[in-house]
C-alpha cells in the first residue's frame, strides 16, 4: 500500500524541509494544498513548478495531486445560480488541473465546503444541475492532462451539499466523465453515513479514486478512537490500489509527531490485517 500525507500540516516549514521529513518517515506521496504555495495557480511559474517537483522526486517522493482546491479563493462557487461565477470556477479548476499535471500528480480532491453550499432558496436539484455543468465544462480539458477530480462527501457540519457517498455518486452519474470519481474520507464517513466504513468501502469499491485517513477528533489515524483494522481489512479485500493519504485538521500536537505517529500506526495495522 502507498501512504501519502497532505502537506499543509507543515504550516511554517519550507518545501525542502517538508520533503526531507516526509521521505525519512517512509511516506511515498505528498498531497498539496495550492494555497500553501501561491494565491493562484497562475502565480506559480513553470520554473517553480519544475523545482517543486524535482525537490520531491530527488527524495523518491511523488506529488500525487491537490486538495483544498477552492480554499482561500474569492468569487468562485460550484452550485451558484450565477453563470459567470460558475464559468470562472470551471476555468479555475482547469488551471489547477494544469498545475497538478505539471507537478506530476493525477488527482484533485474536491472538498471546498464553503464554495459548494446550496444558496438560500435554491432547490437541491438545481444545485446538482449547476455543479454538473461546472464539472462538465472543466473535466474534458483536465482529462487531457491525465488528471481526475475526486468528489468528496462532507458532513452536514461542513456543508449542505453532498454529504454521503450516495450523494456524490448522484452527481458523478449526472456528469458522466471517466475522470470524475468518488473520494472517501474517514472523518466524513464517521460523521455523515448510516452504514459502516467497511460497508461503504465494499459498496463503492469500483468507484473510489482516492482515500483520506484521519479521525473524528481531527487528528491522524491512530490518534483517536477509530479502529482502523476493519477499515484497512476492507480496503485490502476490495483490492484498492490507490493512495491512502493522511489529512488532519488539528495541528496542535505538531507536524512531525502527527506525521510519525500516523505512519507508524498505519504500517502496523496494514501489516496485521
Amino acid at each position: 500500500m502507498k501512504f501519502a500525507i497532505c502537506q499543509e500540516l507543515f504550516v511554517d516549514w519550507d518545501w525542502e524541509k517538508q520533503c526531507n521529513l516526509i521521505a525519512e518517515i517512509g511516506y511515498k506521496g505528498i498531497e498539496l494544498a495550492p494555497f500553501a504555495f501561491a494565491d493562484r495557480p497562475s502565480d506559480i511559474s513553470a520554473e517553480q513548478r519544475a523545482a517543486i517537483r524535482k525537490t520531491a522526486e530527488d527524495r523518491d517522493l511523488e506529488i500525487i495531486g491537490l486538495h483544498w482546491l477552492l480554499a482561500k479563493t474569492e468569487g468562485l462557487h460550484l452550485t451558484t445560480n450565477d453563470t459567470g461565477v460558475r464559468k470562472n470556477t470551471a476555468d479555475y479548476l482547469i488551471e489547477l488541473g494544469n498545475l497538478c499535471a505539471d507537478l506530476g500528480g493525477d488527482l484533485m480532491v474536491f472538498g471546498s465546503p464553503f464554495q459548494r453550499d446550496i444558496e438560500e432558496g435554491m432547490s437541491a436539484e438545481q444545485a446538482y444541475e449547476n455543479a454538473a455543468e461546472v464539472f462538465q465544462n472543466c473535466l474534458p480539458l483536465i482529462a487531457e492532462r491525465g488528471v481526475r477530480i475526486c468528489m468528496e462527501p462532507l458532513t452536514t457540519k461542513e456543508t449542505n451539499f453532498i454529504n454521503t457517498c450516495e450523494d456524490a455518486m448522484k452527481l458523478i452519474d449526472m456528469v458522466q466523465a471517466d475522470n470524475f470519481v468518488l473520494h472517501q474520507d474517514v472523518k466524513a464517513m464517521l460523521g455523515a453515513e448510516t452504514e459502516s466504513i467497511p460497508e461503504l468501502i465494499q459498496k463503492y469499491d469500483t468507484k473510489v479514486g482516492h482515500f483520506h485517513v484521519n479521525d473524528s477528533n481531527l487528528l491522524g489515524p491512530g490518534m483517536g478512537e477509530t479502529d482502523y483494522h476493519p477499515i484497512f481489512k476492507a480496503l485490502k479485500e476490495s483490492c484498492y490500489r490507490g493512495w491512502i493519504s493522511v489529512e488532519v485538521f488539528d495541528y496542535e500536537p505538531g507536524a512531525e509527531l502527527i506525521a510519525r505517529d500516523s505512519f507508524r500506526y498505519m504500517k502496523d495495522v496494514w501489516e496485521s490485517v
Side-chain angles (χ1 to χ4, degrees):
M1 179 50 60
K2 302 178 294 182
F3 295 125
I5 191 165
C6 297
Q7 57 75 224
E8 75 280 0
L9 165 67
F10 300 90
V11 178
D12 300 318
W13 295 37
D14 67 44
W15 177 237
E16 184 174 351
K17 183 180 178 182
Q18 293 180 42
C19 291
N20 286 340
L21 179 72
I22 290 167
E24 183 259 306
I25 291 171
Y27 291 95
K28 294 300 181 184
I30 308 180
E31 192 172 329
L32 272 57
F35 65 77
F37 292 86
D39 291 336
R40 287 191 67 95
S42 56
D43 294 335
I44 307 174
S45 68
E47 293 76 15
Q48 289 172 317
R49 296 176 190 210
I52 291 168
R53 180 171 179 173
K54 186 176 187 301
T55 298
E57 291 177 346
D58 284 350
R59 291 153 182 80
D60 294 321
L61 291 170
E62 181 178 342
I63 296 175
I64 66 173
L66 311 176
H67 69 298
W68 279 113
L69 303 183
L70 304 186
K72 302 190 179 182
T73 62
E74 295 182 3
L76 302 177
H77 201 277
L78 182 66
T79 61
T80 179
N81 272 331
D82 188 317
T83 56
V85 171
R86 293 203 305 274
K87 181 183 184 303
N88 290 341
T89 303
D91 291 344
Y92 188 79
L93 290 172
I94 292 168
E95 281 189 53
L96 287 174
N98 288 325
L99 173 64
C100 182
D102 289 345
L103 295 174
D106 68 357
L107 63 89
M108 303 198 304
V109 177
F110 194 98
S112 302
F114 300 119
Q115 291 87 4
R116 76 194 216 196
D117 271 344
I118 301 175
E119 297 171 341
E120 187 175 351
M122 178 187 290
S123 69
E125 288 307 311
Q126 186 63 56
Y128 272 97
E129 290 176 14
N130 291 348
E133 177 196 281
V134 171
F135 288 122
Q136 286 165 343
N137 286 337
C138 68
L139 283 164
L141 286 175
I142 291 172
E144 290 180 8
R145 297 301 312 275
V147 174
R148 300 163 290 150
I149 290 183
C150 307
M151 191 67 211
E152 181 177 28
L154 294 170
T155 70
T156 55
K157 293 180 180 179
E158 298 160 290
T159 183
N160 60 9
F161 183 65
I162 301 191
N163 305 119
T164 66
C165 292
E166 184 178 0
D167 293 342
M169 286 309 305
K170 176 179 176 178
L171 181 60
I172 290 166
D173 289 342
M174 289 175 68
V175 173
Q176 288 290 299
D178 291 340
N179 63 324
F180 192 41
V181 296
L182 176 64
H183 174 77
Q184 289 185 323
D185 176 281
V186 169
K187 173 184 69 67
M189 288 188 284
L190 286 170
E193 302 275 5
T194 57
E195 296 171 276
S196 72
I197 293 175
E199 287 173 327
L200 292 165
I201 290 169
Q202 293 162 357
K203 184 174 182 178
Y204 297 102
D205 60 353
T206 64
K207 310 295 184 183
V208 175
H210 193 42
F211 201 90
H212 274 168
V213 288
N214 39 43
D215 208 323
S216 56
N217 66 359
L218 308 183
L219 290 170
M223 303 180 77
E225 297 181 353
T226 302
D227 179 9
Y228 267 79
H229 289 81
I231 295 172
F232 278 8
K233 184 173 185 291
L235 286 172
K236 275 193 175 183
E237 290 174 348
S238 73
C239 298
Y240 176 69
R241 292 292 180 264
W243 290 89
I244 293 178
S245 188
V246 176
E247 181 189 35
V248 303
F249 302 91
D250 179 358
Y251 306 160
E252 196 276 331
E256 182 170 353
L257 184 148
I258 292 169
R260 288 191 184 279
D261 284 4
S262 296
F263 184 85
R264 185 183 305 113
Y265 177 77
M266 291 190 298
K267 187 172 183 291
D268 290 346
V269 173
W270 189 262
E271 291 174 352
S272 73
V273 297

